[in-house]
Every structure is written in structure tokens, then in C-alpha cells.
Amino acid sequence: MTAESSPPTSVETRLRDLRTDTSPVEFVARVVACERRDVTRKSDGSRRPVLTGLLSDGTATVRFSWWDPPREGIERGVVLRAVGAEVREFRGRPEVTFSWRTRVGPASPAELPRLDADEIPFRTVRDLHPSEEGFRIEVRIVRIAQKTVTVGTERRVVHEGLVADRTGAIALSSWSDFGLHAGEAVRIAGGYVRAFRGRPQLVLDDRSSVVRVDGTDLPDPAQLLASPPRSIAEVDDEGGGEAVAVEGLVVALLPPSGIVFRCPTCHRSIRSGICRVHGQVEGQPDLRARIVLDDGTGALTVNANRADTERLWGVTLAEAEARLRSQPDPTLIEEQMLEALLGRRLRVRGVGTHDDFGVTLTPESIDRVDIDLDAAAEELSARLGDRR
Ligand SMILES: [Zn+2]
């Protein structure tokens, strides 16, 4: 073999150990996802096929790009051995590129790196950040339910829920049926974390493994769902959470609150009879309150649905509509609602999501907390006394 025709010297490595300074490398990995497309060359306008996707060997998952890939035979699930792949870094994470210098051939799953269970690091829920993988975790299933979703043209069942350990709770989304039940303690390996609506979510699929454990150190679900309220500043710092409980005073309502009209098809709120998806529609009235709750450390928004709004306000949608007919000004309805809610102390539990405007809670429960006026007055006078 001449120096020209021999492939560059590769170092067999695990994907977790990929570094740009060990490039080129040799490894065995499974195709987890792939997509074929044509890229137009800037130089001469010609089209060049490229296959991009994700490879995993159980230690990590990396993006790959394969220039001039074979016409067929490369699909999700296939195990490959690549010799002479180049390692690059993109946004601080390694990626691999297969070029004409890379030899890629089929491999058997038995050639994938053998991992000692204790080689895979244990993580806690608090440590899980998007793109994290190659970890083990022990959690309690707090709740789990299955639903059917449409992925492309396919109907698939996904098991969604919430899992927790002593450090926190995280949403779970499993594309494989592990027969999970609320209350069970499990050890999970081969999952990964992605960001979903701004919150980390633990995702399981057919590569993941789930083992029942006794879970004596794990919180029980009832305890977790009844955890005492935390400060809004803390919840804000953490960017929301899956099982957030806060307590505070109603200080304002944000628009739209009061009577809103929704599209009968998609339930989006509509403006002047126009749904931004379905055009001109016959709007259906609904009642809602976007409550600003403040506990002295910070504020967040609670999106109360019709049932919660009716209960808190003490006015039903039908009654509100009757008021609107006699005084056709929707801002008056909002003012009356604010008058009834302002200064109330509420304890709210639910899922908190974070955006540029802060945390929004989608409540699972909203409870009114009675303020003990005598105690409050005493506390106030004690504080005033201190200042004297
Ligand atoms: Zn619509």
C-alpha cells in the first residue's frame, strides 16, 4: 500500500471520548436519526448529496455529516464502523464528518462499546440539562399517562408524565412502553434530555433501559405534589419547574382577562372574529384570568382557566355574559374581576414555564388562603413597634 491510498491512522474511540485533537478516529455506532438532502456548491452550483443525523454508541450521541453517502442501506437503527472519520467541534460539542477518506461499513451491535454499568455516571434530576445523555438516574414516577400523537403521517403512542428524585422533578416523555405506573421507583439508563417549551424533558425510547428499584431514598409522589410553597424569586431563578408551588397576593390582571372569544376549531383566542389559523369564525365565549401573583420576592403570571376563574371570582361565564349585554364594555368586566381578586392570597401549584416576561404557571390547583387579619395586624404593629 502506498502512503496515498492508505487511510489516515485512526484511533478507535468511544463517542464520549471524541476530541478534535484525536481526529481522525475509528468507532462503532448506531444511526439514531438521519436525513438525506442535497447541498448546492457555491463554486459551480452543482448539487452534492449529504446525509446528516445522529449516531450513538451508548456513551454519547453525536451529530454526523456524510458527504456522498451510499444511495441506500443507511437508515435509523443500522450499526456502522467508521474508520478515518474527522472530528469537529460545533457549539462546544464534537461532531463527526465522513468524507471520501473515511471507510464506513456495516458492523454488528456486539461490536458497540461494552459498558460496565458503573462506568455510566449517576445523575440527579437537578443535574439534567438539555443534550445530556450517557447517564443513569433513579427516579420515582409521579404521574404517567399515555396519549396518541401524530408524527409526520404516523400515529404514535407516547407515555408522558413526571418523575422526581430528592433534587427535583422533570417531565418524562417515553416513545417506548416500559409499563410504567405512578408510584414506582425506577433506574433509567440510555435516556437523553431535550428542551421542550423551554423546560428540560427526559426522553426514553427503545434504546433506553428501565429497571424497577426499591427507591427507599426517593420522595413519595403525594409528598412531592404537596411540597410547601417556595419563593417566587427562587422559582424564577430556576426558570420555572414541573411541580411548582407558590403562594402570594393577587396584585394585577394581565390582558386578556375576563371574557375572551375562542375559535371553535382550535380554541385560540380570536380578535374581531378572526382566528389566525381558521380565518373568520363564530367565536365561542370563554372566561379566563391571567393573574399576577406577588410574594414579596418576585411576581409570576398564573393562567387561570374558566373553571378556576369562575370559582375564584364567584361569577359564572353565563353571568359575565349577561353583564356584558347590559354594559357592553369588556374592560368593565375585567375591572370587576380585578376588584374581586385584588389582594387575595392564593396558593398555586402547577407547571411553570419561563420566557422573556418571567414565569407563567399553568395551574393544577389554585387554593385561596385566608389571611388571618388579627395575626396580620399584630405582625404589622410588632414591626412598627420595632421601628419606634
Ligand atoms: Zn382556529
Side-chain angles (χ1 to χ4, degrees), residues 263-268 270 275-279 281:
C263 169
T265 308
C266 65
H267 304 289
R268 284 185 176 86
I270 60 173
C275 167
R276 66 185 162 89
V277 175
H278 297 99
V281 291

Side-chain angles (χ1 to χ4, degrees), residues 149-156 175:
V149 294
T150 305
V151 181
T153 54
E154 220 183 320
R155 299 283 283 166
R156 292 185 65 186
W175 295 95

Side-chain angles (χ1 to χ4, degrees), residues 157-209:
V157 172
V158 59
H159 301 262
E160 289 190 332
L162 184 70
V163 298
D165 66 9
R166 273 172 296 120
T167 69
I170 186 169
L172 177 80
S173 179
S174 178
W175 295 95
S176 201
D177 186 359
F178 294 102
L180 299 174
H181 294 288
E184 282 181 325
V186 290
R187 179 182 305 146
I188 292 170
Y192 61 95
V193 182
R194 65 164 186 167
F196 183 67
R197 292 183 184 147
R199 298 283 315 150
Q201 184 182 55
L202 176 59
V203 183
L204 307 184
D205 58 23
D206 48 16
R207 296 175 302 141
S208 314
S209 82

Side-chain angles (χ1 to χ4, degrees), residues 56 73 95 98 102 118 130 162 193 195 205 226 246 273-274 309 320 344 356 373:
S56 175
E95 295 189 351
F98 302 161
T102 314
D118 28 288
L162 184 70
V193 182
D205 58 23
V246 294
I274 308 285
T309 306
R344 277 219 204 144
D356 293 347
L373 286 177

